[in-house]
Amino acid sequence: MGRDRLRWPEGGDLTSWFVPVPLRPGVWLIAEPGHVNSYLVEGDERAALIDAGTGIAPLAPVVRRLTDRPVTVVLTHNHFDHVGGAHEFDRVAIHPAGIAGLRAGRPAGSLRGYIAEAGRLLERSTATRALDARGLNLLHPEQIVRPFPPGFDPDRYAIAPAETTDALAEGQRLDLGGRALEVLHTPGHSPDGVCLLEPDARLLFTADTVYAGPLYAQTPGADLDAYLASLRRLAALAPDVDLLLPGHNRVPLDPPLIGEMAEGVARLLASDGDVTIVEGPGGSGRMAREARFARFSVLLPIGTAG
């Protein structure tokens, strides 16, 4: 399969769990609407699957419909919603700080809070779809939340362990043949966090470092100071990037958003920063403090100064 063609695959109806969307020649969004975004980048010789989704449905068959190149899974970090399908592939790359978590997996029963929240999200999205159909016309298929696929058992949902075959390093160049991805270590959301830059195509895959929505700085391993340093680093690259391709929510994003986020987090960390903070749900039903800005927010643990 050549990467000179944009292809809209079969199966993009509202009953499918995955929604593949061609973005650029050889670049696809593989969305799990309401959950997470993965991306497939195809070169002349091999392909990179950037993140491996939730594991709620098999991912490898979707990838194989899009490319016949050898595939390496390039994980942006080891959180469960990005590594769920990694065990389906022979080659898996992650930053060394994420190797142990990837190998451990997540046992059945440990994700009940997430499953419960997914059910609530589906209920809310049903009402949103009804409103959209009455004239808003804002939702695309990759944004419409689906029910769990047939055969999925929420009580047995687990993340299978996966072994790392390649460790990612800052500045590493992943050559796919005719195109390459550069690894940027961007801790903050998690210690092992990376973003992927394709300089020639002016694409930046930002995973959970930059996306439209509440940034998770309330989870174990998060570090707000490191987050700010990573955002400032990415903001410096923004003039050389056309599209931000995030790990969640709306795709694509405009590069100037990174600078807004860096400025907001800097205000949040400043002792005299004037930031609106409210308390509310912080993911999977847990409570958190939310620092709100014009186009994004930051979730903080209960009791965090700010």
Side-chain angles (χ1 to χ4, degrees):
M1 300 180 189
R3 61 183 173 88
D4 58 333
R5 296 170 55 225
L6 289 179
R7 292 159 286 174
W8 193 281
E10 297 179 357
D13 59 81
L14 298 185
T15 64
S16 60
W17 182 252
F18 295 103
V19 185
V21 181
L23 300 175
R24 292 279 184 89
V27 181
W28 294 265
L29 161 68
I30 303 179
E32 296 179 62
H35 296 267
V36 70
N37 300 322
S38 301
Y39 298 91
L40 181 66
V41 182
E42 183 187 60
D44 293 331
E45 299 174 6
R46 58 190 61 85
L49 175 63
I50 301 174
D51 285 339
T54 62
I56 287 174
L59 178 56
V62 179
V63 172
R64 285 300 168 213
R65 287 199 296 270
L66 298 173
T67 184
D68 57 6
R69 307 290 193 264
V71 175
T72 297
V73 177
V74 181
L75 298 173
T76 61
H77 59 303
N78 73 347
H79 287 172
F80 78 92
D81 53 332
H82 294 258
V83 306
H87 68 282
E88 301 175 44
F89 298 85
D90 294 331
R91 299 197 66 84
V92 179
I94 195 169
H95 187 275
I99 291 175
L102 181 63
R103 181 178 293 132
R106 295 287 294 272
S110 65
L111 299 171
R112 287 174 180 160
Y114 183 80
I115 291 296
E117 180 59 25
R120 292 188 287 268
L121 177 64
L122 179 60
E123 292 178 5
R124 294 192 297 269
S125 70
T126 300
T128 302
R129 279 188 61 197
L131 289 172
D132 194 66
R134 293 172 62 183
L136 293 178
N137 302 315
L138 297 174
L139 296 178
H140 293 181
E142 68 271 20
Q143 299 166 317
I144 298 174
V145 180
R146 280 99 160 100
F148 292 127
F152 174 71
D153 184 352
D155 293 329
R156 299 180 63 185
Y157 177 42
I159 302 299
E163 289 296 329
T164 302
T165 59
D166 303 272
L168 299 176
E170 163 65 32
Q172 182 177 353
R173 187 174 180 271
L174 307 177
D175 186 359
L176 305 179
R179 69 191 317 162
L181 300 171
E182 182 182 344
V183 177
L184 309 175
H185 184 211
T186 53
H189 173 67
S190 65
D192 60 334
V194 301
C195 294
L196 286 306
L197 174 67
E198 187 180 2
D200 292 343
R202 298 175 61 88
L203 302 177
L204 180 59
F205 299 86
T206 58
D208 282 11
T209 302
V210 175
Y211 57 90
L215 304 181
Y216 276 35
Q218 87 287 14
T219 51
D223 182 322
L224 204 56
D225 290 294
Y227 216 139
L228 176 58
S230 293
L231 288 171
R232 283 174 168 166
R233 179 191 185 185
L234 296 180
L237 298 173
D240 299 319
V241 172
D242 291 334
L243 296 180
L244 303 182
L245 301 176
H248 296 278
N249 305 338
R250 183 163 52 89
V251 175
L253 300 177
D254 56 299
L257 179 62
I258 311 175
E260 293 179 31
M261 289 180 170
E263 292 174 6
V265 173
R267 285 170 51 201
L268 181 59
L269 285 170
S271 58
D272 57 349
D274 180 19
V275 177
T276 298
I277 299 179
V278 299
E279 190 171 306
S284 297
R286 300 184 182 92
M287 298 298 289
R289 301 174 72 220
E290 183 177 10
R292 293 181 175 173
F293 301 90
R295 294 206 292 166
F296 71 102
S297 64
V298 180
L299 295 181
L300 308 165
I302 295 293
T304 300

